[in-house]
Amino acid sequence: MGEEKALPTHIGIIMDGNGRWAKKRGLPRNFGHRAGANTFRTIARYANQIGLSYLTFYVFSTENWKRSQEEVSGIMTLLRNYLDEMDAYAGENIKVKFWGNLQALPEDIQQKMKRAEKETENATGVQLNLAINYGGRADIVQAAKQLMTLAKEGKMDPNEVTEDVFRRFLYSEEVPDVDLIIRPSGEYRLSNFLIWQSAYAEYVFMDILWPDFKPASLDAAISEYQHRSRRFGGV
Ligand code: FPP
């Protein structure tokens, strides 16, 4: 297998199109999110089966609070339900991490997240990163704040701040940059997803709504990625 046929190490997915999927069926938007949460489960398990190392899902952005209270609380309920299944995930060898400003989330969800991270920390299968109350700019700002605090306390010399130092303060910490970003639903935007981490990412945009996304869709995106030539600024 040539190098270009290797699996990407880290895939990011923008789960878009839940609302339109529901609308097409004359259903409330939250039915779309429920279907989207099921797709999320299927794709997470499939990624583990094929041996992917890191998979990051954009679950809830810092901008999503603008949606109706009903829609926001519907998404929180789906998240709670998922977190309550975590015991099963530990058995599946899937590791879970949460990226974002988690302090702004309901207290019970924060506790469940901590528990899920702890229970799955030794898993060696795929690492799922769930970006929740996440924004790429907010990620960079919180990293800068941490560094400035350290500098103020005399624990960090500004001259020591390299890209490699900086990146460790991002929510992604030691996780390698994202190689492939998949956005279904026919929109062609990054929407404040992994801004720093996607500097050299390949993008695959797909004309399918997230609830209809299948393991074969992931295969198709990976196959497209494998045919791209990545040069990282070289020749
Ligand atoms: C974007 O579709 C989707 C979201 C903002 C929410 C994504 C959340 C889930 C899939 C459920 C999360 C639950 C778990 C367990 C991870 P959209 O609503 O913007 O769709 P539209 O563009 O068609 O309106």
Side-chain angles (χ1 to χ4, degrees), residues 14-23 29-30 32-41 57-61 64 67 71 74-83 85 98 130-132 183-185 187 189 209-211:
I14 301 176
M15 302 188 283
D16 197 11
N18 297 341
R20 275 164 286 168
W21 184 91
K23 193 171 178 205
R29 293 180 59 81
N30 276 333
H33 294 315
R34 194 192 297 166
N38 287 333
T39 300
F40 157 83
R41 287 178 177 83
F57 289 96
Y58 207 2
V59 178
F60 194 85
S61 77
N64 284 152
R67 298 188 176 203
E71 183 166 350
I75 294 174
M76 293 300 154
T77 299
L78 290 169
L79 193 56
R80 267 190 197 95
N81 294 346
Y82 173 67
L83 288 165
E85 295 164 18
F98 299 94
L130 274 62
I132 299 180
R183 182 164 195 159
S185 98
E187 309 282 355
R189 288 188 292 278
L209 303 173
W210 175 249

Side-chain angles (χ1 to χ4, degrees), residues 126-194:
V126 72
Q127 175 172 326
L128 295 186
N129 308 301
L130 274 62
I132 299 180
N133 198 20
Y134 178 88
R137 289 180 178 172
D139 191 359
I140 294 167
V141 169
Q142 67 78 31
K145 270 192 187 155
Q146 291 187 58
L147 281 161
M148 290 174 86
T149 305
L150 288 173
K152 210 166 114 186
E153 292 169 348
K155 293 179 187 149
M156 171 77 72
D157 175 353
N159 292 312
E160 286 169 25
V161 182
T162 59
E163 289 183 13
D164 213 40
V165 167
F166 194 94
R167 65 190 297 276
R168 291 185 160 76
F169 289 85
L170 295 166
Y171 292 124
S172 41
E173 299 177 328
E174 302 300 321
V175 173
D177 279 353
V178 63
D179 300 296
L180 165 63
I181 290 188
I182 302 171
R183 182 164 195 159
S185 98
E187 309 282 355
Y188 303 87
R189 288 188 292 278
L190 187 57
S191 298
N192 203 16
F193 192 34
L194 305 168

Side-chain angles (χ1 to χ4, degrees), residues 29-30 64-74:
R29 293 180 59 81
N30 276 333
N64 284 152
W65 297 106
K66 291 183 220 155
R67 298 188 176 203
S68 74
Q69 204 251 321
E70 187 190 1
E71 183 166 350
V72 170
S73 76

